[in-house]
Amino acid sequence: MLKNYLTVAVRNLLRSAGFSFINVLGLSVGMASALLILLWVANEWTYDHGYPNDSRLYTVWNKDKWTNDTVCWPTTPKIMGAALKSSFPDIEQSSRMNWTQTLLFTVGDKHLNTKTTMVDPDFLTMFSVPFVEGNARSALSTPNSLVITQSLAKKLFGGEDALGKTVKLDNKDMFNVSGVIRDLPNNVSFDYEALTPWSYMKQRGDDDSSWGNNSCRNFVLLKPHASLEAMQKKIHNFTIQHENDGTTTQFLYPFSKAHLYGTFENGKQAGGKIDMVRAFLLIAIFILVIACINFMNLSTARSERRAKEVGIRKTVGALKESLVTQFLLESVLLSAAAGVVALGIVWACLGPFNTLTRKHLTLAVGEPVFWAFIVGFVLFTGLLAGSYPAFFLSSFRPVQVLKGAFKKANALVTPRKVLVVFQFTIAIMLIISTLIVLKQLRYAQERENGYDRSNLIYIPMQGEMQKNYTVIRDELQEKGVITEASMGSSPISQSWSNTWGINWQGKPPGDKTIINSYSTGGNIVRTMGMTLVAGRDIDMVNYPGDSTSVVLNESAVKAMGFKQPLGQVIGYPGYPFTVVGVVKDFIIESPFEPIRPMVIWGPKFTGFNTLHFKLNPAHTPSQNLKVMEGIFRKYNPAYPFEYNFVDTEYARKFEDEKSTATLAGLFAFLTIFISCLGLFGLAAYMAEARVKEIGVRKVLGASVMNLTTLLSRDFVLLVLISIVVAVPIAWYCMDRWLMGYKYRVHVDAWVFILSGVVAILISLITVSSQAIRAAMASPIRSLRSE
């Protein structure tokens, strides 16, 4: 019986090659789109998962009441982890982790800037770091031990065994490779190529025991039977117990949840990236369903041709169940063919898709689970797509079919029309979403950023750069490479420090306004092209006392309530700084958020990590950089010359929104493409069902234009219904999305009007080919049986 079903199914598909091609095309595009999205969703869903101790791993978070909000953040004092472990027996292990730094690794004549992280020895066993060589329990047990990834081992030592080899760090500190670990997967929040013991932080002078310096992440592993609720109560006031006048409390948050559920509002968990994951999953489902709807519409459009077959089969004794099986088998065969094509599309598009999403997704073709999923996916798609046509076609009554009296093409509401409305509703919603995301993106991109990014570069400070800064700067200026230079605590496009502890005259008691903190060696206003509102720049050449000077932005002046800011004294106990200038607000954080108050300290405040240079526009950037490289190699020979353009760095702030806009536009295009195939099918059905009506109208004098309008009118009505349904849903969803931005656009009516017009035009173009073809057909052929 199965062989007979297969034979008949193959013959029917080959007999209607055009129908089969359109169905395979629609299903394959829909399946490929859904598979790509599902790969991304699976990557995000498994982010920071898979550790054997998953259920017991927690990050220590802070919570405090700031001026207008209760805020939670995942950085805590460096002393926190060890203090928690020694105080509470229910904590099995703890580890600190500093932010990844770029350190020079030297082996022979190889010099590589390497992403390096300092951790406590427990980190390796807490997170079950997979070792290729060495042992997790002892790999970081000595002060000069070093754990590196396989890729880094290959770069440093080629094919040689790396274990026990010596590596020079930062051109002065000797370390021995005590372990080689697998490269990090692409769905973890860690980003390092090498691990050193926390003792190296102390050796570099970067460690401290301050309970007010929240600058690193602390992880804890609870014992198997420890009560999380009891532990939350115990650690709640841990910082307050160690810090005078402290108000910051602590709580444990599951490590595996932070990536997807890392957003807190007013001290309570409020979603996070999981919202985007759910939205993409919903889009994948919609695209697949829309592709299946195409199959349904195209299959039922052929009902006239299959009806007599069904009638004859039933007349000779075929049961409804056998007919359903026959039609479902045809749909599964088409789905299988579409699945093969879809895998080819996914393979071809995976590279561009990875670039777009900034991922490293792969097809796990060597895993049996992958193929089991693909088989299940194909079967599910085939059964879903074929379910309605199978039951629809098998329900025909032989008497009505053989008399030709079963059709109801002109019914006001039919399942096919409902499905088309659903398709275009989704398509219009995606068009609206794309336009709003693009509008929000452009709104932020056109926002005044407050400084001049053109020809501005920054170089991470390494080796002898700070020591030789003056001679490097002077030689670069003498050779006409740069026009201005400045040292800073971070790149001007990144905020590395903020605080609520700054004092000023008239500060209200309990005020916890968050103020961004930046330090400079001077000349920052001219180098960055900022706008002075009052006073002057910090200038160590003409004003040697400026080491204790400070420049405020406009938001800081407002937050501090200064009417005459120049000459005001602000700072910390024992560290007074005098305000010498005020600059116009500039964007150092997200361009989608309000600009925070900011203080720019003179050089006495803290150290420097970055050099900024304004390249001379009289020469090309490549000419300037070539000369600059020679000068840096002269004064900092052990370190590679690496630089970053600030405008490129600033553009990265828009990457998430650009990706969202591009993906939304791509999904909208695919949805419209697939929907148009369905509309084409419905148009073909309508033309087939009304062929005699069209013939009669032509005989009575109807023109081609009249008939085309007649046939197209119903489809335009369906699209108009889709617009009415889609607009309020899209407005609600995008309004919710925009609420995540404090600096956002207003949704204008033209977005909805344009989306509707585009949908109507596309539908008319799709339908007109069938409508014109039917209208131009000779009435003799359609009426000869009459």
Side-chain angles (χ1 to χ4, degrees):
M1 184 64 73
L2 180 61
K3 181 180 179 181
N4 178 61
Y5 286 152
L6 284 170
T7 302
V8 174
V10 171
R11 285 175 180 172
N12 279 321
L13 294 176
L14 292 177
R15 187 182 301 120
S16 305
F19 156 80
S20 300
F21 172 78
I22 293 175
N23 261 332
V24 169
L25 177 62
L27 279 177
S28 60
V29 171
M31 293 170 74
S33 303
L35 282 173
L36 282 171
I37 298 171
L38 289 175
L39 283 173
W40 181 87
V41 168
N43 181 272
E44 289 290 331
W45 213 285
T46 57
Y47 215 94
D48 283 335
H49 284 71
Y51 299 106
N53 298 322
D54 245 357
S55 61
R56 298 189 287 131
L57 277 171
Y58 296 89
T59 306
V60 184
W61 282 56
N62 277 335
K63 180 192 284 190
D64 205 341
K65 178 73 175 178
W66 289 357
T67 302
N68 299 311
D69 196 6
T70 298
V71 182
C72 302
W73 69 100
T75 52
T76 45
K78 298 182 181 77
I79 197 173
M80 173 73 72
L84 285 172
K85 183 180 177 182
S86 62
S87 301
F88 303 110
D90 282 344
I91 294 179
E92 183 176 318
Q93 291 179 308
S94 69
S95 177
R96 294 162 287 188
M97 172 179 272
N98 77 316
W99 298 107
T100 299
Q101 301 180 41
T102 299
L103 297 181
L104 181 70
F105 277 42
T106 304
V107 175
D109 59 352
K110 294 180 180 177
H111 305 274
L112 297 175
N113 274 331
T114 304
K115 291 182 286 187
T116 310
T117 301
M118 289 80 169
V119 296
D120 287 303
D122 280 351
F123 176 85
L124 300 175
T125 52
M126 288 173 65
F127 289 92
S128 303
V129 177
F131 273 73
V132 178
E133 298 179 70
N135 186 295
R137 296 194 175 279
S138 59
L140 292 178
S141 58
T142 58
N144 290 88
S145 53
L146 177 69
V147 174
I148 61 177
T149 62
Q150 283 179 293
S151 295
L152 181 59
K154 189 174 182 179
K155 292 177 185 177
L156 292 173
F157 304 107
E160 297 180 17
D161 187 359
L163 203 64
K165 292 287 198 306
T166 301
V167 181
K168 185 190 290 185
L169 269 63
D170 211 19
N171 203 37
K172 60 180 183 295
D173 303 315
M174 305 305 295
F175 279 75
N176 295 316
V177 177
S178 55
V180 178
I181 60 177
R182 292 179 190 167
D183 292 344
L184 293 175
N186 58 33
N187 59 343
V188 296
S189 56
F190 301 133
D191 183 25
Y192 57 75
E193 298 173 278
L195 295 170
T196 69
W198 189 264
S199 57
Y200 192 42
M201 285 284 286
K202 298 178 182 178
Q203 184 178 331
R204 292 169 58 87
D206 293 331
D207 195 18
D208 65 76
S209 57
S210 169
W211 285 94
N213 183 8
N214 299 294
S215 58
C216 82
R217 286 178 288 177
N218 278 281
F219 306 114
V220 297
L221 177 68
L222 298 186
K223 289 183 177 178
H225 303 293
S227 167
L228 176 61
E229 185 179 354
M231 184 56 63
Q232 298 284 31
K233 293 178 181 178
K234 292 176 183 177
I235 73 166
H236 182 72
N237 293 319
F238 200 68
T239 295
I240 296 174
Q241 295 168 8
H242 292 83
E243 183 183 27
N244 294 331
D245 302 323
T247 59
T248 304
T249 60
Q250 285 72 48
F251 65 95
L252 300 181
Y253 196 65
F255 173 77
S256 59
K257 290 184 65 176
H259 177 73
L260 291 180
Y261 300 89
T263 299
F264 287 78
E265 293 179 2
N266 201 27
K268 296 181 179 179
Q269 205 285 317
K273 199 165 187 179
I274 187 63
D275 298 328
M276 183 66 72
V277 172
R278 287 170 178 160
F280 273 47
L281 182 60
L282 197 60
I283 289 172
I285 294 172
F286 281 152
I287 290 178
L288 186 63
V289 169
I290 286 171
C292 292
I293 288 173
N294 268 4
F295 183 93
M296 297 174 188
N297 282 338
L298 289 170
S299 296
T300 54
R302 296 173 65 246
S303 59
E304 172 76 8
R305 298 179 183 179
R306 302 298 298 270
K308 290 183 179 180
E309 173 193 341
V310 172
I312 293 172
R313 281 174 175 268
K314 282 194 170 185
T315 301
V316 298
L319 298 176
K320 182 176 180 180
E321 290 77 10
S322 65
L323 292 171
V324 169
T325 303
Q326 175 68 55
F327 293 129
L328 285 178
L329 188 58
E330 289 182 20
S331 69
V332 169
L333 284 176
L334 271 176
S335 177
V340 173
V341 177
L343 283 175
I345 295 173
V346 170
W347 179 81
C349 296
L350 202 53
F353 187 74
N354 280 334
T355 301
L356 181 61
T357 58
R358 303 190 302 282
K359 294 280 188 182
H360 301 284
L361 306 175
T362 58
L363 292 175
V365 292
E367 299 291 335
V369 175
F370 172 78
W371 291 111
F373 170 77
I374 292 298
V375 171
F377 184 68
V378 167
L379 286 173
F380 172 78
T381 303
L383 294 174
L384 177 64
S387 57
Y388 171 61
F391 287 100
F392 173 78
L393 294 172
S394 63
S395 66
F396 292 159
R397 294 180 181 179
V399 176
Q400 290 181 322
V401 166
L402 297 177
K403 285 184 176 181
F406 73 99
K407 294 174 287 183
K408 295 180 181 179
N410 294 320
L412 181 63
V413 178
T414 66
R416 285 183 294 279
K417 291 180 180 180
V418 172
L419 293 175
V420 169
V421 168
F422 176 80
Q423 285 181 308
F424 270 86
T425 297
I426 301 301
I428 294 165
M429 286 172 59
L430 286 172
I431 294 173
I432 293 171
S433 301
T434 302
L435 292 175
I436 292 175
V437 172
L438 287 171
K439 194 167 183 281
Q440 170 68 6
L441 178 61
R442 180 169 295 180
Y443 184 62
Q445 286 176 327
E446 293 176 352
R447 184 182 181 186
E448 176 59 45
N449 72 311
Y451 62 93
D452 183 10
R453 304 188 302 271
S454 63
N455 291 309
L456 184 62
I457 67 168
Y458 74 85
I459 298 174
M461 192 173 287
Q462 291 180 293
E464 303 296 313
M465 288 185 190
Q466 184 165 351
K467 176 183 174 183
N468 297 323
Y469 167 70
T470 302
V471 292
I472 291 173
R473 179 198 62 196
D474 292 346
E475 190 165 336
L476 288 171
Q477 287 179 329
E478 287 173 9
K479 294 190 175 182
V481 175
I482 65 170
T483 57
E484 302 290 348
S486 177
M487 290 189 292
S489 55
S490 71
I492 194 61
S493 54
Q494 300 175 28
S495 176
W496 287 7
S497 178
N498 57 51
T499 180
W500 67 73
I502 298 175
N503 297 319
W504 63 86
Q505 186 175 359
K507 181 178 181 179
D511 185 295
K512 285 192 174 182
T513 301
I514 297 299
I515 298 175
N516 284 333
S517 183
Y518 190 93
S519 59
T520 177
N523 201 40
I524 185 173
V525 174
R526 289 194 297 273
T527 302
M528 308 302 172
M530 297 175 181
T531 302
L532 270 173
V533 177
R536 58 176 176 81
D537 196 355
I538 294 175
D539 185 351
M540 294 299 298
V541 176
N542 297 310
Y543 301 90
D546 268 4
S547 61
T548 56
S549 295
V550 67
V551 171
L552 307 178
N553 71 351
E554 292 173 304
S555 292
V557 173
K558 183 178 179 180
M560 295 176 183
F562 294 151
K563 293 185 178 180
Q564 296 293 333
L566 299 183
Q568 296 282 351
V569 176
I570 69 171
Y572 299 92
Y575 295 92
F577 282 72
T578 304
V579 178
V580 298
V582 177
V583 293
K584 186 178 179 180
D585 282 346
F586 62 93
I587 298 172
I588 194 171
E589 296 179 295
S590 170
F592 299 97
E593 299 295 324
I595 296 175
R596 278 183 178 173
M598 183 167 189
V599 296
I600 304 173
W601 308 96
K604 189 175 181 180
F605 181 75
T606 187
F608 305 110
N609 301 293
T610 312
L611 300 178
H612 287 90
F613 296 101
K614 191 74 169 180
L615 299 180
N616 190 341
H619 309 122
T620 64
S622 58
Q623 290 173 330
N624 287 327
L625 291 170
K626 184 176 181 180
V627 177
M628 183 177 282
E629 182 177 3
I631 294 173
F632 269 86
R633 291 196 181 281
K634 176 181 176 181
Y635 293 106
N636 199 41
Y639 291 78
F641 175 68
E642 296 182 354
Y643 59 88
N644 299 274
F645 279 92
V646 172
D647 55 358
T648 303
E649 182 82 16
Y650 187 81
R652 292 195 186 104
K653 296 177 182 290
F654 302 96
E655 284 184 342
D656 286 345
E657 284 70 24
K658 281 184 177 178
S659 294
T660 301
T662 305
L663 287 171
L666 178 62
F667 298 150
F669 169 78
L670 292 173
T671 304
I672 290 169
F673 173 76
I674 298 171
S675 299
C676 286
L677 287 178
L679 200 62
F680 181 88
L682 188 56
Y685 164 76
M686 294 293 288
E688 181 179 300
R690 301 175 69 177
V691 62
K692 291 185 179 180
E693 176 194 344
I694 294 169
V696 171
R697 288 179 179 273
K698 287 199 74 174
V699 170
L700 295 176
S703 67
V704 172
M705 178 61 71
N706 290 336
L707 292 173
T708 302
T709 303
L710 174 70
L711 293 174
S712 302
R713 183 177 56 200
D714 291 341
F715 300 106
V716 173
L717 179 61
L718 294 179
V719 176
L720 287 172
I721 294 172
S722 300
I723 294 171
V724 172
V725 176
V727 165
I729 299 174
W731 175 84
Y732 174 78
C733 293
M734 295 312 296
D735 186 65
R736 289 284 303 272
W737 179 74
L738 287 171
M739 290 296 289
Y741 300 96
K742 292 182 179 177
Y743 187 82
R744 57 181 179 267
V745 294
H746 297 288
V747 181
D748 299 319
W750 69 262
V751 172
F752 304 105
I753 295 171
L754 179 61
S755 300
V757 170
V758 168
I760 291 172
L761 287 176
I762 291 173
S763 65
L764 281 173
I765 292 171
T766 303
V767 170
S768 61
S769 61
Q770 284 292 318
I772 293 172
R773 181 182 175 187
M776 294 182 68
S778 172
I780 297 174
R781 297 182 61 185
S782 60
L783 298 176
R784 62 187 175 185
S785 62
E786 302 297 321

